[in-house]
Amino acid sequence: MMDLPKPDDIVGMSFWLITMATLALAVFMFAERRRLAPRWQTVITLVAVAALITGVSYLRLSQGWAATGAVATASRFADWQLTVPLLVLSFHFLLVATSQPSPALFWRLLVSSAVLVAAGYLGAANFISPTLGFLVGLAGGLYILGELYLGEAGRLISASDNKKLQSTYNALRLIVTIGWAIYPLAYFMEYLGGGVDGASINLIYNLADFLNRIAFCLVIYHLAAGETAREVRR
């Protein structure tokens, strides 16, 4: 059973908040999935699974924080190794719902997102140099952004005549560009920039996960629900 943190434990409260929020979001998304048009159900399932994994992972991290007052950054990568590729692949399945992206796009997004997280873990756990882990992870992240802005995904969305899809895609791309930039910055601060105290680094990661997971999922749900309602009215 998860114990409530002390009121003056800001980091503990942030662990509790994201645990409850992501688990509730996963339940909501799975429940709403059945009400949506079939073409949106795959991407909703994808982000619901990502939210569920985050909630379960944070339940474990919360317990660790309550017991020891510390959570090693390396222990977060089990969550990220699953959820980051799932969220990145959401771009592919958004396009599948409205156009015909190539199978190669799926694999490019999957491999680059997996490399991004794996490199960060190897550096954080000292299997490789933290500098090398940072550089390889950064290259993976930049490749994903290049694909989303200039590659096949970016070209397909630019050619779409669905303005709501374009707006959603742009919002998601902005989250990945700005919101996800918190992670490499925090990694640099912790491993290459002289270090950060455990409470501060955990609070940074917790708030980043809260923003990026929940905002990302709800933006996709808003599109799917709106498009389903529009199709029903026809």
Side-chain angles (χ1 to χ4, degrees):
M1 184 152 180
M2 184 177 176
D3 295 328
L4 288 174
K6 296 179 180 178
D8 60 348
D9 181 4
I10 296 176
V11 180
M13 291 292 287
S14 69
F15 273 114
W16 183 88
L17 175 65
I18 192 170
T19 301
M20 296 297 102
T22 50
L23 289 176
L25 179 62
V27 171
F28 172 77
M29 298 287 269
F30 280 122
E32 287 291 296
R33 176 187 179 278
R34 295 173 296 176
R35 299 179 57 251
L36 301 174
R39 64 181 176 137
W40 301 109
Q41 291 180 359
T42 298
V43 69
I44 290 297
T45 300
L46 207 66
V47 295
V49 169
L52 179 61
I53 292 171
T54 298
V56 172
S57 175
Y58 263 83
L59 183 61
R60 175 179 59 87
L61 296 176
S62 298
Q63 292 170 340
W65 178 265
T68 66
V71 171
T73 298
S75 64
R76 294 176 176 271
F77 281 89
D79 166 0
W80 292 342
Q81 191 67 66
L82 295 173
T83 56
V84 169
L86 288 174
L87 294 175
V88 169
L89 287 175
S90 299
F91 287 96
H92 172 78
F93 286 103
L94 276 177
L95 294 171
V96 167
T98 58
S99 59
Q100 293 183 323
S102 70
L105 175 62
F106 173 93
W107 292 108
R108 290 197 300 270
L109 292 175
L110 176 62
V111 171
S112 57
S113 58
V115 167
L116 183 162
V117 183
Y121 168 71
L122 293 173
N126 287 315
F127 289 110
I128 62 174
S129 161
T131 301
L132 179 60
F134 175 78
L135 292 175
V136 174
L138 185 61
L142 291 174
Y143 179 86
I144 292 170
L145 291 178
E147 186 66 63
L148 298 181
Y149 281 93
L150 303 173
E152 179 184 352
R155 291 192 297 271
L156 285 173
I157 204 67
S158 295
S160 173
D161 58 0
N162 188 326
K163 299 303 181 183
K164 289 186 177 179
L165 174 65
Q166 289 181 333
S167 176
T168 297
Y169 182 94
N170 290 335
L172 295 174
R173 193 164 55 182
L174 190 63
I175 292 172
V176 171
T177 304
I178 299 176
W180 289 21
I182 297 170
Y183 302 104
L185 288 174
Y187 182 99
F188 183 90
M189 291 165 56
E190 183 174 9
Y191 296 103
L192 306 176
V196 184
D197 68 275
S200 295
I201 200 68
N202 276 291
L203 186 59
I204 290 170
Y205 282 129
N206 289 358
L207 294 178
D209 279 349
F210 180 83
L211 168 66
N212 293 319
R213 297 297 189 275
I214 292 178
F216 197 98
C217 294
L218 289 179
V219 167
I220 292 177
Y221 171 76
H222 181 264
L223 171 68
E227 290 293 284
T228 297
R230 185 168 65 86
E231 292 170 18
V232 170
R233 288 195 298 267
R234 287 180 177 176

